[in-house]
C-alpha cells in the first residue's frame, strides 16, 4: 500500500541517519562478514561475530514494544509506549520463517525488537516495518536487563533486506549498498554464503601507541 511504502521509506531514512552517526571500531566490511558463520578474533584480546542468526521469511506484524523513561542517571524505568515521558521506544516485529542460518534448530517464527531510531513519527515507522513483506533479516542477540536475551536487527536494521519477485535483494538502509552487499545481491547468493561452514578470521590489530609526554 502507499501508506506502508511511505513508512518503509521513513524507516530506512532513519536507519541510514543513525548508522552514519555511529562510528564503531570494527564494523563489518561487507555483508559476507556480517553473517553468523563468520567469527573474528584479535588474538589475546577478543572474539566476536556481527550477528547470531540470519532468517528468510515474511513479516507478519509490527507492534508497539516496551518503552522506557529516564529516572535519574543511567536509570531507565518501563513506561507506556505512548507516554510523553518515554525516552526509548521499541517495536516488536514478528516474522514467519522459511529458512534459518546460524543455529542448529530451524525456527518457524521469530520476533525481533527494534528501537525507534530517533523517529518522530512512531506510527509511520511501525507501518514501515509491518509492510516489509518477504525479507532476509540478519539478527544479533542482545542481553537486556529487563527481558534477558532478545533478538535485534544487526547494524541497526541496515541488514534487513527486501526480496523482490525475481529473488533480487535490496538493502535500502545501507548508504554504500553496492560495495557492502557486493556479490550477495540475490537470494540464492545470500543463501549460499549463509550456509557455508563457519570460518574464523584473525584480525591483525595493533593498539595505537600512547602519545609520548612532551617536555
Amino acid at each position: 500500500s502507499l501508506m506502508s511504502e511511505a513508512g518503509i521509506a521513513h524507516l530506512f531514512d532513519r536507519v541510514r541517519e543513525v548508522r552514519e552517526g555511529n562510528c564503531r571500531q570494527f564494523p563489518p566490511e561487507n555483508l559476507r562478514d556480517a553473517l553468523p558463520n563468520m567469527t573474528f578474533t584479535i588474538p589475546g584480546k577478543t572474539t566476536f561475530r556481527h550477528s547470531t542468526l540470519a532468517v528468510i521469511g515474511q513479516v507478519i506484524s509490527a507492534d508497539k514494544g516496551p518503552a522506557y523513561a529516564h529516572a535519574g542517571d543511567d536509570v531507565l524505568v518501563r513506561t507506556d509506549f505512548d507516554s510523553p515521558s518515554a525516552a526509548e521506544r521499541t517495536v516488536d516485529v514478528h516474522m514467519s520463517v522459511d529458512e534459518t542460518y546460524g543455529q542448529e534448530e530451524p525456527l518457524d517464527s521469530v520476533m525481533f525488537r527494534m528501537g525507534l531510531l530517533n523517529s518522530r513519527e512512531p506510527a509511520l515507522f511501525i507501518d514501515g516495518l509491518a509492510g516489509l513483506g518477504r525479507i532476509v533479516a540478519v539478527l544479533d542477540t542482545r542481553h537486556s536487563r529487563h527481558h534477558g536475551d532478545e533478538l535485534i536487527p544487526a547494524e541497526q536494521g541496515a541488514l534487513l533486506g527486501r526480496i523482490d519477485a525475481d529473488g533480487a535483494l535490496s538493502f535500502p538502509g545501507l548508504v554504500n549498498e553496492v560495495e557492502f552487499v557486493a556479490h550477495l545481491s540475490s537470494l540464492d547468493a545470500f543463501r549460499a554464503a549463509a550456509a557455508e561452514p563457519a570460518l574464523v578470521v584473525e584480525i591483525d590489530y595493533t593498539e595505537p601507541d600512547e602519545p609520548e609526554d612532551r617536555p
Side-chain angles (χ1 to χ4, degrees), residues 58-94:
Q58 181 85 20
V59 172
I60 300 165
S61 66
D63 309 289
K64 295 173 181 178
Y68 302 93
H70 289 301
D73 292 345
D74 294 333
V75 180
L76 290 172
V77 292
R78 183 83 182 258
T79 187
D80 186 67
F81 186 96
D82 296 312
S83 163
S85 71
E88 292 186 17
R89 295 178 171 89
T90 61
V91 182
D92 288 347
V93 181
H94 293 268

Coordinates of all heavy atoms in Angstrom, one line a residue, residues 58-94:
Q58 N 8.7 -14.0 6.2 CA 7.7 -13.0 5.9 C 7.4 -12.2 7.2 O 7.1 -12.8 8.2 CB 6.4 -13.7 5.4 CG 5.3 -12.8 5.0 CD 5.4 -12.3 3.6 OE1 6.1 -12.8 2.8 NE2 4.7 -11.2 3.3
V59 N 7.4 -10.9 7.1 CA 7.0 -10.1 8.3 C 5.4 -10.2 8.4 O 4.7 -10.0 7.4 CB 7.4 -8.6 8.1 CG1 6.7 -7.8 9.2 CG2 8.9 -8.5 8.1
I60 N 5.0 -10.6 9.6 CA 3.6 -10.8 9.8 C 3.0 -9.6 10.5 O 1.9 -9.1 10.2 CB 3.3 -12.0 10.7 CG1 3.9 -13.3 10.1 CG2 1.9 -12.2 11.1 CD1 4.0 -14.4 11.0
S61 N 3.7 -9.0 11.4 CA 3.2 -7.8 12.2 C 4.3 -7.1 12.8 O 5.4 -7.6 13.0 CB 2.2 -8.3 13.3 OG 2.9 -9.0 14.3
A62 N 4.0 -5.8 13.1 CA 4.9 -5.0 13.9 C 4.1 -4.2 14.9 O 3.0 -3.6 14.5 CB 5.7 -4.0 13.0
D63 N 4.4 -4.3 16.1 CA 3.6 -3.7 17.2 C 4.4 -2.9 18.2 O 5.7 -3.1 18.3 CB 3.0 -4.8 18.0 CG 2.3 -5.8 17.1 OD1 1.2 -5.5 16.5 OD2 2.8 -7.0 16.9
K64 N 3.8 -2.0 18.9 CA 4.5 -1.2 19.9 C 5.1 -2.2 20.9 O 4.4 -3.1 21.4 CB 3.5 -0.3 20.6 CG 2.9 0.8 19.7 CD 1.8 1.6 20.4 CE 1.2 2.6 19.5 NZ 0.1 3.4 20.1
G65 N 6.4 -2.0 21.2 CA 7.1 -2.8 22.2 C 7.3 -2.1 23.4 O 6.7 -1.0 23.7
P66 N 8.2 -2.6 24.3 CA 8.5 -1.9 25.6 C 9.0 -0.5 25.3 O 9.7 -0.3 24.3 CB 9.5 -2.8 26.2 CG 9.4 -4.1 25.6 CD 8.9 -3.9 24.2
A67 N 8.8 0.4 26.3 CA 9.3 1.7 26.2 C 9.8 2.1 27.6 O 9.4 1.5 28.6 CB 8.2 2.7 25.8
Y68 N 10.8 3.0 27.7 CA 11.4 3.3 28.9 C 11.6 4.8 29.1 O 11.8 5.6 28.1 CB 12.8 2.7 29.0 CG 12.8 1.2 28.8 CD1 12.9 0.6 27.5 CD2 12.5 0.4 29.9 CE1 12.8 -0.7 27.3 CE2 12.4 -1.0 29.7 CZ 12.5 -1.6 28.4 OH 12.4 -2.9 28.3
A69 N 11.4 5.3 30.3 CA 11.6 6.7 30.7 C 12.9 6.8 31.5 O 13.3 5.8 32.2 CB 10.4 7.2 31.4
H70 N 13.5 7.9 31.5 CA 14.7 8.1 32.3 C 14.3 8.4 33.8 O 13.3 9.2 34.0 CB 15.5 9.4 31.8 CG 16.2 9.1 30.5 ND1 17.1 8.1 30.4 CD2 16.1 9.7 29.3 CE1 17.6 8.0 29.2 NE2 17.0 9.0 28.5
A71 N 14.9 7.8 34.7 CA 14.7 8.0 36.1 C 16.0 8.2 36.8 O 16.5 7.4 37.5 CB 13.9 6.9 36.8
G72 N 16.6 9.4 36.6 CA 17.9 9.7 37.2 C 19.0 9.2 36.3 O 18.8 8.7 35.1
D73 N 20.2 9.3 36.7 CA 21.4 9.0 35.9 C 21.4 7.5 35.4 O 21.5 6.6 36.3 CB 22.7 9.3 36.7 CG 22.9 10.8 36.9 OD1 22.1 11.5 36.3 OD2 23.7 11.1 37.8
D74 N 21.4 7.3 34.1 CA 21.5 6.0 33.6 C 20.5 5.0 34.1 O 20.8 3.8 34.0 CB 23.0 5.4 33.8 CG 24.0 6.2 33.1 OD1 23.6 6.8 32.0 OD2 25.2 6.3 33.5
V75 N 19.4 5.5 34.6 CA 18.4 4.5 35.1 C 17.2 4.7 34.2 O 16.7 5.8 34.0 CB 18.0 4.9 36.6 CG1 16.9 3.9 37.1 CG2 19.2 4.8 37.5
L76 N 16.7 3.5 33.7 CA 15.5 3.5 32.8 C 14.4 2.8 33.5 O 14.7 1.7 34.1 CB 15.8 2.9 31.5 CG 16.8 3.6 30.5 CD1 17.1 2.7 29.3 CD2 16.1 4.9 30.1
V77 N 13.2 3.3 33.5 CA 12.1 2.6 34.0 C 11.1 2.3 32.9 O 10.9 3.2 32.0 CB 11.4 3.3 35.2 CG1 12.3 3.4 36.4 CG2 11.0 4.7 34.8
R78 N 10.4 1.2 33.0 CA 9.4 0.8 32.0 C 8.3 1.8 32.0 O 7.8 2.1 33.1 CB 9.0 -0.6 32.3 CG 8.0 -1.2 31.3 CD 8.7 -1.8 30.1 NE 7.8 -2.3 29.1 CZ 7.5 -3.6 29.0 NH1 8.1 -4.5 29.8 NH2 6.6 -4.0 28.1
T79 N 7.8 2.2 30.8 CA 6.7 3.1 30.8 C 5.8 2.7 29.5 O 6.2 1.8 28.8 CB 7.1 4.6 30.7 OG1 5.9 5.4 30.8 CG2 7.8 4.9 29.4
D80 N 4.7 3.4 29.4 CA 3.9 3.1 28.2 C 4.5 3.7 26.9 O 5.1 4.8 27.0 CB 2.5 3.7 28.5 CG 1.5 3.3 27.4 OD1 1.2 2.1 27.3 OD2 1.1 4.1 26.6
F81 N 4.4 2.9 25.8 CA 4.9 3.4 24.6 C 4.5 4.8 24.2 O 5.2 5.6 23.7 CB 4.5 2.4 23.5 CG 5.1 2.7 22.1 CD1 6.2 2.0 21.7 CD2 4.6 3.6 21.2 CE1 6.8 2.2 20.5 CE2 5.1 3.8 20.0 CZ 6.3 3.1 19.6
D82 N 3.2 5.1 24.5 CA 2.6 6.4 24.1 C 2.8 7.5 25.2 O 2.4 8.6 25.0 CB 1.1 6.3 23.8 CG 0.9 5.4 22.6 OD1 1.6 5.6 21.6 OD2 0.1 4.4 22.7
S83 N 3.5 7.2 26.3 CA 3.7 8.1 27.3 C 4.7 9.2 26.8 O 5.7 8.9 26.2 CB 4.3 7.5 28.6 OG 4.9 8.5 29.4
P84 N 4.4 10.5 27.1 CA 5.3 11.6 26.7 C 6.6 11.5 27.4 O 7.6 12.0 26.9 CB 4.6 12.9 27.2 CG 3.1 12.5 27.4 CD 3.1 11.0 27.7
S85 N 6.7 10.7 28.5 CA 8.0 10.6 29.2 C 8.9 9.6 28.6 O 10.0 9.4 29.0 CB 7.7 10.2 30.7 OG 7.2 8.9 30.8
A86 N 8.4 8.8 27.7 CA 9.2 7.7 27.1 C 10.4 8.3 26.3 O 10.2 9.1 25.4 CB 8.3 6.8 26.1
A87 N 11.6 7.9 26.7 CA 12.8 8.3 26.1 C 13.3 7.3 25.1 O 14.0 7.7 24.1 CB 13.9 8.6 27.1
E88 N 13.0 6.0 25.3 CA 13.3 5.0 24.4 C 12.1 4.1 24.1 O 11.4 3.7 25.0 CB 14.4 4.1 25.0 CG 15.8 4.8 25.2 CD 16.9 3.9 25.6 OE1 16.7 2.6 25.5 OE2 17.9 4.4 26.1
R89 N 11.8 4.0 22.8 CA 10.7 3.1 22.4 C 11.2 2.0 21.5 O 12.1 2.2 20.7 CB 9.6 4.0 21.7 CG 9.0 5.1 22.5 CD 8.0 5.9 21.7 NE 7.2 6.8 22.5 CZ 7.6 8.0 22.8 NH1 8.7 8.5 22.4 NH2 6.8 8.8 23.6
T90 N 10.5 0.9 21.6 CA 10.9 -0.2 20.7 C 9.7 -0.8 20.0 O 8.6 -0.6 20.5 CB 11.6 -1.4 21.6 OG1 10.6 -1.9 22.5 CG2 12.8 -0.9 22.3
V91 N 10.0 -1.5 18.9 CA 8.9 -2.1 18.1 C 9.2 -3.6 18.0 O 10.3 -4.0 17.8 CB 8.9 -1.5 16.7 CG1 7.7 -2.1 15.9 CG2 8.8 0.0 16.8
D92 N 8.2 -4.4 18.3 CA 8.3 -5.9 18.2 C 7.8 -6.3 16.8 O 6.7 -6.1 16.4 CB 7.4 -6.5 19.3 CG 8.0 -6.3 20.7 OD1 9.2 -5.9 20.7 OD2 7.3 -6.6 21.6
V93 N 8.7 -6.9 16.1 CA 8.4 -7.4 14.7 C 8.4 -8.9 14.7 O 9.3 -9.6 15.1 CB 9.5 -6.9 13.7 CG1 9.2 -7.3 12.3 CG2 9.6 -5.4 13.8
H94 N 7.2 -9.5 14.2 CA 7.0 -10.9 14.2 C 7.2 -11.4 12.7 O 6.6 -10.8 11.8 CB 5.7 -11.3 14.7 CG 5.5 -11.0 16.2 ND1 5.8 -12.0 17.2 CD2 5.2 -9.9 16.9 CE1 5.7 -11.5 18.4 NE2 5.3 -10.2 18.2

